[in-house]
Amino acid sequence: MAQTITDDRSAVETEIKNDVELRKVFKVYNGETAVRGIDLSIRQGEFFSILGPSGCGKTTTLRLIAGFEEPTAGEVLIRGQAMAGVPPYRRPVNTVFQSYALFNHMTVWDNIAFGLRIKNCAKTELQQRVGEALNLVKMESFARRFPAQLSGGQQQRVALARALVNRPTVVLLDEPLGALDLKLRKEMQVELSNLHRELGVTFIMVTHDQEEALSLSDRIAVMNDGRVEQVGTPKQIYEFPQSPFVADFIGDTNLLRGQIEWADSTMLKVTTPNGLKVVVKTPEPWNNTQTKQVVLSVRPEKIHLSLDNPGSLTNCFEGQLKHTMYLGTHVHYMVELSSGDCLTVLQSNRLEHLPENDTPIYVHWAAADCLALAAS
């Protein structure tokens, strides 16, 4: 009997290590399916991002966690507790919206205190917690100002303080930096990351900005058409995408469709419709027996350029330079190969003389720098 009790407790502890779980969750609006059977497990204390294009279902997923929507099927759990029928104000979460949703007729202090007053928090505790929240986001000197007297970045900090003052298990961030200009957005990304580390609270952020998700997240879920295509660390998502959609959506890449001509335990040889023959080194034996049709992904920064024929290098092709774009730290090139395929190439700026358009040029990349993905 003692052994059975120990096992049960262990199972409970293992489950509670996930702050949020979605199990086979569907959401249907007027016959249209917005979320299609997604499964997610979000760990305690992690910064988790849900990334995808407009209309992919990421905001609906966040609203299901927050309680603003109920799933048509499936379960949402927070700290192991099913949330079916639990209204938003009774869930241990707080949401920071892109619009901030601050009360314009209230001061910063009153905005932050609002949730505590609704919960009838004692006056002494209320004052202490609002003060701590203001200090946390470095807004103590703005306590008596109104939202209209604040910049976008300051309003963002107030919205964060209002969410954090309730000491939620999970902070939900709905495009939290979308309304900021580029420079302020970068600054707030750093502040958001620092804040997350200091608090140790679980952050779940919805964004369509790939760079933002890569720079802030412990893990990312990439969504497409209501489904989760892949979950992984930023490095896993970028370096080892599991589908052509993820490869194309995360950063820039060159996608080439082709057919496998031969394969062994570590290598594939793929021929494109235009006759380009590409060698791919695979991390494990290719075991997709259902199709020989693949999509090759080659990141622009993995491709090298040469004005001279580099010789018998693997994946070396001749072409013409069609376009050059100077980006300061990097230079972006468009090369049209003799086969007719076009590739984008990104190289660091070394202050070299930039070749003219229509210059004959060679591109080459290592077999290990190319991924073969099963064609959808």
Side-chain angles (χ1 to χ4, degrees), residues 209-285:
D209 188 312
Q210 300 98 325
E211 183 182 336
E212 189 167 277
L214 289 170
S215 63
L216 289 174
S217 309
D218 296 312
R219 289 191 304 146
I220 300 168
V222 182
M223 288 191 68
N224 179 33
D225 194 26
R227 297 181 176 88
V228 174
E229 293 252 343
Q230 185 174 349
V231 178
T233 65
K235 184 175 181 179
Q236 288 169 341
I237 295 286
Y238 186 82
E239 299 288 351
F240 305 104
Q242 294 176 356
S243 70
F245 174 82
V246 175
D248 192 36
F249 187 75
I250 303 295
D252 295 322
T253 196
N254 296 284
L255 297 179
L256 298 168
R257 290 192 171 268
Q259 180 167 313
I260 297 174
E261 298 298 330
W262 59 261
D264 63 19
S265 60
T266 60
M267 304 289 275
L268 302 177
K269 188 172 184 179
V270 178
T271 302
T272 72
N274 292 331
L276 205 66
K277 296 186 183 299
V278 182
V279 177
V280 183
K281 184 175 182 181
T282 58
E284 53 190 31

Side-chain angles (χ1 to χ4, degrees), residues 5-24:
I5 293 172
T6 302
D7 288 345
D8 289 345
R9 285 177 179 174
S10 176
V12 170
E13 287 175 4
T14 301
E15 185 169 358
I16 291 181
K17 285 180 182 176
N18 291 322
D19 267 349
V20 177
E21 289 184 78
L22 282 76
R23 299 177 179 174
K24 299 289 185 292

Side-chain angles (χ1 to χ4, degrees), residues 320-361:
Q320 277 194 331
L321 184 62
K322 288 300 180 183
H323 184 69
T324 302
M325 186 181 298
Y326 181 79
L327 301 175
T329 58
H330 290 77
V331 183
H332 181 281
Y333 301 96
M334 175 71 73
V335 178
E336 183 179 334
L337 304 184
S338 301
S339 63
D341 296 293
C342 288
L343 298 175
T344 59
V345 182
L346 190 67
Q347 293 196 329
S348 59
N349 179 12
R350 299 185 180 91
L351 296 177
E352 297 172 352
H353 173 70
L354 300 179
E356 300 289 334
N357 287 348
D358 297 324
T359 298
I361 203 161

Side-chain angles (χ1 to χ4, degrees), residues 1 7 31 46 60 64 98 109 135 206 221-222 239 252 303 312 333 344 353 360 374:
M1 178 65 71
D7 288 345
E46 79 174 329
T60 300
L64 287 165
Q98 180 178 349
W109 200 96
N135 181 61
V206 157
V222 182
E239 299 288 351
D252 295 322
I303 302 176
S312 57
Y333 301 96
T344 59
H353 173 70

